[in-house]
Amino acid sequence: MFVTSRVFFWAGPLAVTLLAAVLRLWNLGVPHALVFDETFYVKDAWTLFNNGYESTWPEGADALFAAGQTDVFLSDPSFVVHPPLGKWLIALGMAVVGPEHSWGWRIATALIGVLAVVLLMLIAKKLFGSTVLAVIAGFLFAIDGNAIVMSRVALLDNSVMFFALLGFGAVLLDRDRHATRLSACLVQAREAGREPGWGPTLWRRPWLLAAGLAFGLACSVKWSGIYFLAAFGVYLVFVDALARRRAGLPFWFSAAVLKQAPATFLLIVPVAVVTYLASWTGWFVTRGGYYRDWATTPEAAWTGALAWIPDSVQSFWHYQVAAYTYHVGLSTPHPYQANPLTWLFMSRPTSMYYRGFALGENGCDVATCSEAITGIANPMIWWAATAAAFYLVYRLARYREWQVGLILMGLVAGYLPWLMYLNRTVFQFYTIAFEPYLLLGLTFVIGVLLPRARWVVLGFLVAAALLSAYFYPLWTGIQTPFTFWQLHIWLPSWR
């Protein structure tokens, strides 16, 4: 290892955290304009804060909002298809800083991005047992372009990533505790002269409650959070089955599926459901939200055996069905849509913002200038992490390492479900939800190489840092000569 001193134990993570903060917070208010889907989420967040539900805006509201006229929203409800939590977080930043400041629009997302770097380091330390590898994982996340861009624009996906990663960390902590308690229960039973066939049902698993809360929060930002809930629910049953088999229980599989799995379900899913419903509190306690009074009309209200269900619940269910119908049918062409099959290769990154200027315009001192915010990940980090992910599949089949299996489950949860929607309008920046697991996979491979090729690893990290410095203007809207922008378009599809 490069450094093993006690100083590095604190200084390394602190330095990475400060680096992540600088890269995400510096000049955060530029550009002072609603970029890409900020036009939806920022304005929705502000009406949510003021009305308790997302409301409509007059025509030309983006320019008015950027000019500081943030109170021109209407009372009519707006049909939105994402749950409220991510917008509440954006609204909190505006409430503290002020809605007239673009810093206020983005500060919550940026702070979540910094916290995600810290969280990834904590998870990597637990997963690999190495401060050096934890710092490397955090460093890669801190300097990657996809992570930086998604922390500097007020979109929802950064929050999905953070809460899903919290759930991943809770599952990691439960894994050790579960194995220890299962072993202790079996030893106690055998010492008492009983040979357990199925083993105990373990209910006292606080980290599963925490996982349910975290995955519920992810679902409360975007429905894609449910993929993490489902995937890690299956993972927990599988891990329990393996633990019981290793303990020598004859009915290990049926015990895991029929005995422990229902308990695991009850520890995770109800907490997630209650969390999701709580995120809609504003919609429930006000009367103006979209479809809020749908069930009050006789022709809409449920009849028969379901007639006793409160109107608000009927209306809420109708709203959720309408949102689901919208999601599964979304196929409106977009110039920056990216087929999920191409995400790992980053063939179509999303242009969040672009403006060109001629000589003399907006401080441009060359023939033509550009300002861009483009969701291009650091190519060296991204493509190396993709290669590492494929290697980890082989590694799991060959060595059965639990760390590899857990990392790959994060990728399964964040990526594979999207392969069911190849014809939908989706974007490369959705990959932020599973980027932490790509980087954990890359860090695992670095850990394998480190004892024998430390200088190669160091060279890779230095080169990645230099490449991030090279791309940073295109991630943050810094004005550059147009030729500088052209030099960063490595593939024709990046235009």
Side-chain angles (χ1 to χ4, degrees):
M1 295 296 178
F2 298 122
V3 183
T4 57
S5 71
R6 186 174 181 84
V7 173
F8 182 77
F9 181 85
W10 296 104
L14 179 59
V16 168
T17 302
L18 291 175
L19 175 63
V22 169
L23 295 178
R24 285 153 179 76
L25 296 174
W26 179 82
N27 222 21
L28 181 62
V30 173
H32 185 72
L34 294 169
V35 305
F36 201 70
D37 280 353
E38 283 187 341
T39 184
F40 304 115
Y41 303 135
V42 170
K43 300 203 303 290
D44 283 347
W46 192 233
T47 58
L48 190 64
F49 181 80
N50 284 276
N51 292 340
Y53 58 90
E54 297 92 339
S55 310
T56 55
W57 293 76
E59 190 173 348
D62 282 15
L64 294 173
F65 196 94
Q69 299 182 45
T70 61
D71 58 351
V72 296
F73 52 85
L74 309 176
S75 60
D76 296 333
S78 176
F79 177 63
V80 296
V81 295
H82 295 304
L85 179 59
K87 287 162 282 187
W88 277 116
L89 294 172
I90 294 171
L92 180 62
M94 288 193 284
V96 173
V97 178
E100 68 277 9
H101 302 295
S102 43
W103 251 81
W105 312 340
R106 300 169 183 147
I107 185 62
T109 309
L111 292 177
I112 287 169
V114 176
L115 290 175
V117 172
V118 176
L119 180 59
L120 188 68
M121 286 191 287
L122 292 171
I123 288 173
K125 180 65 167 68
K126 176 67 175 176
L127 195 62
F128 304 129
S130 166
T131 302
V132 171
L133 292 181
V135 169
I136 289 174
F139 176 74
L140 294 172
F141 204 21
I143 68 171
D144 178 66
N146 191 40
I148 291 172
V149 168
M150 295 309 296
S151 297
R152 293 177 61 93
V153 292
L155 272 59
L156 304 180
D157 303 80
N158 221 40
S159 296
V160 174
M161 173 273 294
F162 178 73
F163 291 127
L165 190 59
L166 271 178
F168 179 90
V171 169
L172 173 61
L173 292 171
D174 173 79
R175 192 185 186 282
D176 283 348
R177 194 173 190 274
H178 169 66
T180 301
R181 291 200 63 232
L182 177 63
S183 177
C185 288
L186 294 178
V187 167
Q188 185 177 14
R190 285 164 178 159
E191 288 178 347
R194 302 190 308 273
E195 183 56 39
W198 284 24
T201 301
L202 300 177
W203 286 96
R204 200 171 66 188
R205 300 175 70 176
W207 287 116
L208 289 193
L209 295 173
L213 174 62
F215 292 137
L217 292 171
C219 295
S220 301
V221 178
K222 271 190 168 184
W223 281 2
S224 54
I226 200 171
Y227 298 142
F228 289 91
L229 177 66
F232 282 104
V234 173
Y235 172 84
L236 287 164
V237 174
F238 181 75
V239 167
D240 178 68
L242 292 181
R244 290 170 190 265
R245 186 178 70 171
R246 284 192 297 269
L249 295 178
F251 305 114
W252 56 271
F253 181 77
S254 56
V257 174
L258 301 177
K259 192 172 185 181
Q260 184 62 53
T264 299
F265 178 91
L266 292 174
L267 287 169
I268 294 181
V269 174
V271 174
V273 171
V274 169
T275 302
Y276 177 78
L277 293 175
S279 73
W280 287 88
T281 298
W283 186 89
F284 278 108
V285 302
T286 59
R287 303 293 307 191
Y290 206 86
Y291 283 139
R292 179 62 179 80
D293 294 323
W294 173 83
T296 59
T297 57
E299 62 274 14
W302 297 348
T303 58
L306 300 178
W308 62 272
I309 297 176
D311 289 348
S312 61
V313 176
Q314 295 184 35
S315 298
F316 179 73
W317 180 257
H318 180 75
Y319 193 174
Q320 304 306 293
V321 172
Y324 175 79
T325 303
Y326 172 88
H327 279 301
V328 297
L330 182 60
S331 58
T332 305
H334 191 283
Y336 286 99
Q337 68 187 66
N339 190 300
L341 290 173
T342 70
W343 285 357
L344 293 179
F345 309 103
M346 197 174 57
S347 65
R348 188 57 171 164
T350 309
S351 175
M352 301 282 181
Y353 169 83
Y354 182 88
R355 286 191 66 187
F357 301 96
L359 178 65
E361 293 181 344
N362 199 41
C364 178
D365 57 3
V366 295
T368 53
C369 295
S370 297
E371 293 179 1
I373 299 177
T374 309
I376 303 174
N378 181 307
M380 180 176 291
I381 295 175
W382 190 263
W383 290 330
T386 296
F390 286 108
Y391 171 70
L392 258 60
V393 174
Y394 157 77
R395 185 95 184 186
L396 180 64
R398 178 70 176 82
Y399 297 107
R400 305 289 200 276
E401 292 152 311
W402 71 267
Q403 295 95 333
V404 173
L406 184 57
I407 293 169
L408 287 177
M409 186 53 67
L411 284 174
V412 166
Y415 176 51
L416 288 190
W418 291 103
L419 299 181
M420 299 186 296
Y421 307 108
L422 298 180
N423 296 319
R424 275 189 54 186
T425 305
V426 294
F427 300 92
Q428 175 73 32
F429 67 81
Y430 291 5
T431 58
I432 189 62
F434 62 82
E435 181 171 352
Y437 316 106
L438 279 176
L439 297 183
L440 286 173
L442 178 56
T443 302
F444 178 89
V445 175
I446 287 173
V448 173
L449 296 175
L450 201 53
R452 299 183 299 275
R454 63 180 59 188
W455 293 109
V456 173
V457 170
L458 180 60
F460 171 81
L461 296 176
V462 171
L466 293 174
L467 195 57
S468 285
Y470 176 67
F471 272 93
Y472 190 71
L474 269 68
W475 298 336
T476 55
I478 296 174
Q479 187 179 107
T480 65
F482 178 68
T483 53
F484 181 86
W485 177 84
Q486 288 179 307
L487 290 173
H488 292 71
I489 307 304
W490 291 5
L491 300 175
S493 58
W494 287 10
R495 294 182 179 274

